[in-house]
Amino acid sequence: MALLLPPVLGTLPYPSWKSVTNPDLTQCFQNTVLVWVPCIYLWLLAPFYCLHLYCHDHGRIHMSCLCTAKMVLGFLLASFGFVEFFYILLERSHEIQQHMVFLLSPIIRSMTVILALCIIQLERIRGCRSSVFLFLFWILAVVCSLVPLRAKIQLAMDEVCYIVRYLAFFSYFTIQLAQLFLCCFADQPPVGKTILEKVVNHLSLCRLVVKGYRAPLAEEDLWTLREEDTSHKIISELQQDWTAECAKIQKQEKALASGVALGSRLPDQAQLLRKLQKEQSSGFILIRTLARKFGPYFLTGTLCIIFHDAFMFAIPQVLSLLLGFMRDEDAPLWKGYFYATLMFLLSCLQSLFNHQYMYTCFTVGMRVKTAVMGLVYRKSLVINSASRRTCTVGEIVNLVSADTQKLMDFVVYFNAVWLAPIEIALCLFFLWQHLGPSALAGIATVILIFPLNGFIAKKRSKLQVKIQMKFMDGRIRLMNEILNGIKILKFYAWEKAFLEQVLGYREKELKALKKSQILYSISIASFNSSSFLVRALFYVTLDDRNVLDAQKVFVSMALINILKTPLSQLPFAISTTMQAVVSLRRLGKYLCSEELKVDNVSKAPLSSGRNLVIENGTFSWSTEGPPCLRRINVRVPRGSLVAVVGHVGSGKSSLLSAMLGETEKRSGQVTVKGSVAYVPQQAWIQNATVQDNITFGREKLKTWYQRVLEVCALLPDLDILPAGDATEIGEKGLNLSGGQKQRVSLARAVYRKADVYMLDDPLSAVDAHVGQHIFDKVIGPKGVLRDKTRILVTHGMSFLPQADLILVLVDGEITESGSYQELLSRHGAFADFIHTFANTERKESAIQRDVSAVIKMCGIPSIQSYETFGLSVLSRGDSTNTNLQNMEPVSEEEQEQVPEDLGKLTVVDKARTGRVRLEMYKKYFKTIGLAIIIPIVFLYAFQQGASLAYNYWLSMWADDPVVNGTQIDTDLKLAVFGALGFVQGIAIFGTTVAISICGIIASRHLHMDLLINVLRSPMSFFESTPSGNLLNRFAKEIDAIDCMVPEGLKMMLSYVFKLMEVCIIVLMATPFAAVIILPLAFLYAFVQSFYVATSCQLRRLEAVSRSPIYTHFNETVQGASVIRAFGEQSRFILQANKRVDFNQTSYFPRFVATRWLAVNLEFVGNGVVLAAAILSVMGKSTLSPGIVGLAVSHSLQVTGILSWIVRSWTDVENNIVSVERVNEYAETAKEASWSKEGSTLPLAWPQTGTIEFQDYGLQYRKGLELALKGITLNIHEREKVGIVGRTGAGKSSLALGIFRILEAAKGRIFIDGVNIEDIGLHDLRSRITIIPQDPVLFSGSLRMNLDPFDTYTDEEVWSSLELAHLKNFVSNLPDKLNHECSEGGENLSLGQRQLVCLARALLRKTKILVLDEATAAVDLETDTLIQSTIRTQFEDCTVLTIAHRLNTIMDYTRVIVMDRGHISEMDSPANLITQRGQFYRMCREAGLV
């Protein structure tokens, strides 16, 4: 490490530092300090490193070739030391007494190498594959050997020849270099462990970048995520801390609540204050928990930035020495070269520490993102109903997209908040040293600017929190609801109304963003101008004698350039911190919201006796809300069937929720013994295959699985699916009919083999005969669940006699309970209801008695075996399911897909490849307009021109000769300098504001285009595109276009022009620098082109892998109750972890690649510094100190400028990918136009309501079989037509054809003689009405849900509510028509939602009404009332009813029986029954004949 085998002391004339021509370090220094520095480093830190290795065991690594090579080289190095020791001991013993140090140094050196070898072995045993610790040791050793190496070379040149000594030293030095080289490689992975960690080093990154340049990167090219970065590792440790913190908060709240006197109530203001305090404290607790987990690693990065700052402030001091050298004519040249080299080395060290800091910050940011996403996801699985209603799915998506991003930014810029003021203070201190008291003026300027920016930051924070984020949340929430209810929007032609609502939110959001950006521009302009003002005031306050020389000007300029960084970073850091505080508050509020209490239900193992007991239970949906169930006492014996009946809104579903622990238990006790399976009223279907939906995470048991399919009547459905049970089902079962969804949901529960089954009206959505089959085969006394405990909510009176216990609910109370016969014998409310309904049914079904008489007269047998006949009909296959043909998006290539892809439905969010196309930039700039862009570029050029002019003016001023202790015309020079600086400040403000406004213009257009493109897409698009993909576009991608693209453009333009200024100045000073600058420019462009291709593809892969996270979040939040009931939380958490980890595998290489590029390019920039300094030294005789100071001080900025150009260029290119992704949907297929210009359609059309099908055919996708085949049909004015048929017969396809949800494959449909293809979609859909099967409501007022266009008066709305039997319910609501419906209408029961849909139809009152199984979710009494309303209110209308309950259409004019896309029968109900055809068999199965 030091000079080996030194020459005989005193015999060689070693040159010393004082030598003017050939300076050198003394031999003593070389043999002591340079030997001991690396040794001290290793011995001091080795104990701590060994302790670290002891605490982190990754498994043993086998002895590899790499490790063997390190050991062999190490022993060679150690042997050199011992050989030298014995040589000195034997040959130079007479000199040892005077110079004992020469004997000690080789021993110390050898012992240190042996310690390094021991550490290598310890690393191997503990599974450490690469060592930064030893890498730094070998770097120190090599650096310390450079001085003796130079001395040896000098001696050789002076012809002092000691061949053996030279060979020994050069061998030693070569082995050290070899050890350093070997340290750059990672060893093999530990035994028995997979490669969880790819060692991130320069070589591995080079390989990735080169691969990305040659061909677009794919998922398999990415590194596996390191174990410490995985979700499981991060969240498992963090969850415990967070749970403990939440428990403390709840304890404090309970203590506070108990402090308030019983019966008293806090004033509203005090309650609001407590709520705000809770939000703030929850945010603080979250950051504290995250800091405890990630703080220590983050502090290592902080240490790096402190070292970076030390090197940064050392550079101006070296510049001062260099300029002093330029002024001193007698100074030797070696000093100039030494200062130039020192500046280069300091710049390189500054770069290394800066990028290590950035790497640490981004790693911590990534882990924070993983942690927060994990906590939010886990919270969504335990949050209670009251809290869930205050936070929509859209808001939760915002938490994991926008808010996690804000926290990541905060991690990167947090240190600037406290470090920037320190840097500013140090700059001002050094300026004081150079300029004396005149620096006070500059200090005053900086102090004055801080309050201004503090005020701006506060205003921006307020704008962002209270306005921008609020409207963004509202927009995302509304978009989520639009995507969930898109079918309803299309049926009702409401797209324009909701388009205007979304754009309303968007305009308010952009208005807040515009104000925020203008304030930010003022902040940037003030900070940029402050550096000029500081400089100007320095020069103004200089007295006449204190002349301005090059040293003062350019050292102060270098310090002011350093000052610019913290001054520009500080407003951004404060802004980022304020945004992070807001995000922390939002996240803390959600994460601290109330959870479902574990003690809501007592779980117990299965035992004989009662399986389910509720004792004196009172339940509510929220802690403060009114009880939804009161005085509930239920005892359910094991293996019994319990039926729960009651009117709409009586609390039937709430009772099941109470049994599941989903409601707040106010009092009483709930005990459930054994495992639970739950079938919700609205089936929750995953975006997965049919098999995955049924097995639901369990292993497939083939025999049992087939049995489940059979009893749940799913076998016929599987026959018509493209890939059977391997067919993918769309989100929320979009491509299944209501009955199919419910049967898949039921099959999931049956397959589970649970002990207790909670069935929330699973038979309402299926055909009557299928319902009877399911009851007999599954739920009833002879079904597969006969030995299980079953709680069945039902509206089917025919099932009640077979129930062991019936619970009658009225307004949240069990008024009666007992068996069917017991309740009838009591003559209570239940008996009255049964008799009343029977009478009503008899009155309304007189036609059925006539039918029965006809049957008897015709001698038709009245008994028919259901098993032998019914199921044979049931199992007849059908290739025209309601929506099932829409399994694939329309494209020519996919028509020839391989069989295993047949059942694929959803289109995976795919990443494009290669560089971003030029068209994307053109599209972005085209939306802004060329008329705005050209002036902006000129403004930037003007701004930088002013900067160049006033810097050059300063260099001329500094070179002015001093006459009689002063310089001439200082006032004029100062005036010109001031004018140029002022002009630059105005230009900076103008450019930043202009680009911000341009960004808003572009963002507005792009968002509007995206919104219109999505709303104009056909239903097939929504069925094949996961909502997560679309929400990703509307949330993350639009946010990037709003903020990131304009920010990147601002930075890129300003730094590109700044770089041009620097190059011009360096070339002006030393034209010969062009020889160096040009190759460096080509190298820069070469490296940049490699990087951008890789970075862009990584950005795409990261964006694509983000969509599944949102889709999974969305799906989980909506199915949380089912997931909890089945106890599948851990499996869903594991799936979420996988999705987040996969997203991070794309993100991690992207930010590491950015560091790789920045390090490479900063070394290029440091090369410019070295070139400028060396050339200045070489041209000392011809160059003035002023021009040298100007060139060198500006070249010092190149490193930072290049770094920021890379960053901003990459940001722009990466975020233009957002424009590309938003623009993708412009190219997808669209529906026909909403309205046609020059349409001659009468306002009152249709006046009669006649419908004519002429050889009509319909298909769900090109290349597939027709779903409707050759339908020819005339429906007359005021005719009532029932449409029946097996599942998938084509019933709903008729409705889809009438509304042009699907376009005709052949034939035509005429309404009132008008071909519906000749009119706009909205003209058609707004003139006819449908009451759909799935009742969808949107968050907003009840009135908005009925009349989004405000077309009708309040009287008309109340009238429609009265006819829909909702007037009493709405009248009792506090806000009446302004009652706020929650997302999806969750604060109304399913039956009430169905009645709201009926009220919509009554309000529109068009001549054609289509009912698509519209009364499936209501009880029989309400159904009877609805049917009565339809008969009276739509008496003069044409009514088409797709029916499950056949009794509802028995008095219709005609019944159409659909089969396999054909009309198999069509006549009056009585005539069809006499024909003994398919309709007769269906009536027989439903028990109507």
Side-chain angles (χ1 to χ4, degrees), residues 458-518:
K458 193 174 178 182
K459 287 288 287 181
R460 286 191 71 215
S461 172
K462 190 177 176 183
L463 274 169
Q464 192 209 6
V465 183
K466 296 189 177 174
I467 303 172
Q468 192 189 342
M469 290 304 283
K470 176 186 164 187
F471 291 126
M472 186 180 175
D473 280 348
R475 177 172 62 82
I476 300 299
R477 186 202 70 230
L478 186 57
M479 275 314 305
N480 186 56
E481 291 192 66
I482 286 171
L483 296 175
N484 290 341
I486 190 68
K487 200 168 189 176
I488 300 300
L489 257 65
K490 291 194 175 297
F491 273 135
Y492 286 106
W494 282 358
E495 292 103 325
K496 282 185 181 175
F498 280 84
L499 175 80
E500 284 168 12
Q501 279 191 53
V502 173
L503 292 178
Y505 276 118
R506 181 70 179 150
E507 279 307 311
K508 289 170 185 171
E509 183 189 347
L510 290 178
K511 190 178 177 183
L513 181 65
K514 186 177 178 181
K515 287 180 182 175
S516 175
Q517 288 295 339
I518 289 169

Side-chain angles (χ1 to χ4, degrees), residues 1287-1412:
T1287 296
K1291 306 186 296 289
S1292 293
S1293 299
L1294 279 173
L1296 296 176
I1298 292 170
F1299 281 85
R1300 286 178 66 193
I1301 299 296
L1302 292 171
E1303 296 290 357
K1306 65 171 189 173
R1308 294 175 293 179
I1309 299 175
F1310 290 89
I1311 294 177
D1312 275 13
V1314 176
N1315 185 348
I1316 63 171
E1317 280 191 7
D1318 297 337
I1319 59 177
L1321 290 179
H1322 281 190
D1323 295 335
L1324 169 68
R1325 293 170 185 171
S1326 62
R1327 311 288 182 91
I1328 54 179
T1329 303
I1330 187 169
I1331 303 178
Q1333 184 178 8
D1334 295 325
V1336 177
L1337 298 189
F1338 301 93
S1339 60
S1341 69
L1342 193 58
R1343 197 189 195 296
M1344 186 279 292
N1345 272 286
L1346 292 167
D1347 177 25
F1349 290 100
D1350 282 332
T1351 312
Y1352 305 97
T1353 63
D1354 280 3
E1355 290 74 21
E1356 289 172 309
V1357 174
W1358 278 111
S1359 174
S1360 70
L1361 288 171
E1362 186 175 10
L1363 293 167
H1365 311 285
L1366 274 174
K1367 187 176 182 180
N1368 289 339
F1369 168 73
V1370 177
S1371 299
N1372 292 328
L1373 293 171
D1375 298 324
K1376 298 187 170 48
L1377 287 177
N1378 292 322
H1379 173 70
E1380 277 294 313
C1381 297
S1382 61
E1383 188 177 17
E1386 286 181 2
N1387 54 350
L1388 299 178
S1389 74
L1390 190 63
Q1392 287 166 336
R1393 280 179 256 164
Q1394 194 71 71
L1395 294 175
V1396 171
C1397 290
L1398 173 65
R1400 282 176 186 160
L1402 289 162
L1403 198 58
R1404 284 163 74 108
K1405 196 73 182 295
T1406 56
K1407 282 290 180 181
I1408 295 173
L1409 173 69
V1410 180
L1411 287 93
D1412 187 0

Side-chain angles (χ1 to χ4, degrees), residues 158-281:
D158 293 342
E159 297 180 357
V160 180
C161 194
Y162 295 94
I163 293 172
V164 176
R165 193 194 317 155
Y166 292 163
L167 286 173
F169 178 79
F170 290 136
S171 302
Y172 191 92
F173 184 76
T174 306
I175 294 170
Q176 279 185 331
L177 277 176
Q179 281 282 29
L180 178 62
F181 178 72
L182 291 178
C183 264
C184 296
F185 296 93
D187 214 332
Q188 62 191 26
V191 180
K193 291 201 176 184
T194 54
I195 303 178
L196 288 171
E197 179 180 348
K198 289 264 187 176
V199 176
V200 179
N201 57 37
H202 201 269
L203 291 173
S204 61
L205 267 169
C206 285
R207 283 195 293 271
L208 183 75
V209 170
V210 169
K211 188 183 279 187
Y213 181 75
R214 287 177 177 167
L217 289 173
E219 294 165 11
E220 56 272 14
D221 298 322
L222 304 178
W223 304 321
T224 308
L225 204 62
R226 300 177 302 180
E227 188 179 9
E228 60 266 32
D229 294 329
T230 57
S231 297
H232 175 74
K233 180 78 174 170
I234 291 169
I235 299 164
S236 56
E237 297 170 7
L238 189 72
Q239 182 96 37
Q240 297 172 354
D241 292 346
W242 179 249
T243 308
E245 293 289 355
C246 285
K248 284 180 192 173
I249 294 177
Q250 287 166 4
K251 196 174 178 182
Q252 288 170 3
E253 281 184 357
K254 282 178 185 174
L256 199 64
S258 61
V260 180
L262 287 170
S264 66
R265 188 173 178 276
L266 283 170
D268 289 343
Q269 286 182 334
Q271 283 188 333
L272 185 66
L273 191 64
R274 269 182 62 182
K275 187 181 174 185
L276 288 169
Q277 284 174 342
K278 183 186 173 184
E279 283 180 21
Q280 286 176 344
S281 64

Side-chain angles (χ1 to χ4, degrees), residues 1120-1278:
S1121 58
V1122 176
I1123 296 165
R1124 284 193 290 265
F1126 282 87
E1128 289 289 325
Q1129 294 97 316
S1130 56
R1131 181 168 67 87
F1132 274 78
I1133 285 169
L1134 193 64
Q1135 287 179 7
N1137 285 353
K1138 282 180 181 174
R1139 284 170 165 82
V1140 171
D1141 286 350
F1142 179 59
N1143 178 244
Q1144 300 294 40
T1145 56
S1146 307
Y1147 174 75
F1148 180 68
R1150 186 160 72 87
F1151 83 72
V1152 172
T1154 307
R1155 296 299 104 219
W1156 171 88
L1157 177 72
V1159 167
N1160 284 325
L1161 294 188
E1162 286 196 14
F1163 274 96
V1164 170
N1166 294 336
V1168 174
V1169 173
L1170 183 65
I1174 293 286
L1175 289 170
S1176 298
V1177 172
M1178 289 169 68
K1180 182 185 177 186
S1181 56
T1182 56
L1183 294 174
S1184 68
I1187 203 75
V1188 169
L1190 185 65
V1192 176
S1193 62
H1194 273 72
S1195 68
L1196 283 171
Q1197 297 176 57
V1198 169
T1199 304
I1201 290 169
L1202 287 177
S1203 176
W1204 281 104
I1205 286 176
V1206 170
R1207 190 166 170 179
S1208 55
W1209 186 354
T1210 308
D1211 281 349
V1212 170
E1213 181 110 11
N1214 284 345
N1215 289 300
I1216 283 288
V1217 171
S1218 294
V1219 177
E1220 180 181 65
R1221 285 168 62 74
V1222 161
N1223 196 50
E1224 274 175 23
Y1225 296 133
E1227 299 160 13
T1228 54
K1230 299 289 176 288
E1231 287 186 311
S1233 59
W1234 286 343
S1235 57
K1236 291 195 175 178
E1237 290 182 18
S1239 174
T1240 56
L1241 199 67
L1243 285 173
W1245 181 89
Q1247 292 169 326
T1248 58
T1250 60
I1251 305 171
E1252 183 185 354
F1253 289 81
Q1254 289 183 359
D1255 192 29
Y1256 183 76
L1258 177 146
Q1259 65 184 157
Y1260 284 90
R1261 217 207 79 181
K1262 286 180 182 175
L1264 289 178
E1265 192 180 349
L1266 291 177
L1268 293 177
K1269 304 163 188 172
I1271 302 292
T1272 299
L1273 168 67
N1274 274 315
I1275 297 171
H1276 306 300
E1277 182 181 352
R1278 301 177 63 184

Side-chain angles (χ1 to χ4, degrees), residues 21 23 123 175 256 295 303 367 788 827 910 972 1074 1142 1224 1278-1279 1290 1414-1415 1457 1470:
T21 56
E123 286 176 338
I175 294 170
L256 199 64
L303 196 63
R367 291 174 185 173
K788 308 290 186 180
H827 303 294
K910 290 180 182 174
L972 173 66
F1142 179 59
E1224 274 175 23
R1278 301 177 63 184
E1279 194 172 7
T1415 57
V1457 182

